[in-house]
Amino acid sequence: MKKQLLVAAIENGTVIDHIPAEKLFAVVNLLHLESMKTAVTIGYNLQSEGMGTKSIIKMADKFFTDEELNQLAVICPNLTLCIIRDYEIVEKRTVCLPDELRGIVRCTNPKCITNNEPMRTHFHLHGSNALKCHYCNTVVSLDDVRLVERP
Ligand SMILES: [Zn+2]
């Protein structure tokens, strides 16, 4: 059993599970893990039943806001998130894209009002793999979406 325990348990925090290996570093960048002060464990290319390999990130004392979850869902839909308290999983949820995203994604149309005025972007889910700008109707594929820079 101990051999299978590839990643140490955490007392309180969040585990992001089932990250496709090719998305791991995008998630690492998005979460700004390099500036976290608490323990972070990154597991890359771990063996996974059913998925071949997977990657996971464990963050001690880190709990996500809804905005952070939406950002995660944009770059990596269908993640599993486990909330850990006192070494137990108290909540397990799949992160899905909401129908509307505000202030998360940039519009690719340079003439869009959101690229020219200090205002939040607003997108609607368009099919299963794209977003549509509320203001100019530009459709942006989730594969080449750009996130709004956060301060
Ligand atoms: Zn737009």
Side-chain angles (χ1 to χ4, degrees), residues 13-19 27 31 57-59 62-66 68-70 72-73 76 78-84 89-96:
T14 303
V15 178
I16 310 175
D17 205 351
H18 299 116
I19 307 169
V27 174
L31 297 176
I57 301 173
K58 291 192 171 196
M59 289 152 288
K62 168 72 181 172
F63 301 96
F64 288 103
T65 63
D66 286 344
E68 288 173 318
L69 291 180
N70 287 343
L72 271 175
C76 201
N78 302 315
L79 290 171
T80 308
L81 210 72
C82 298
I83 316 297
I84 314 280
I89 296 175
V90 294
E91 192 187 344
K92 195 166 186 168
R93 57 192 278 198
T94 302
V95 179
C96 297

Side-chain angles (χ1 to χ4, degrees), residues 2 30 33 41-43 51 57 69 82 108 120 135-136 144:
K2 279 199 172 157
L30 172 68
L33 294 184
T41 309
I42 298 171
M51 271 184 85
I57 301 173
L69 291 180
C82 298
T108 54
R120 298 213 302 166
Y135 300 102
C136 72
D144 41 43

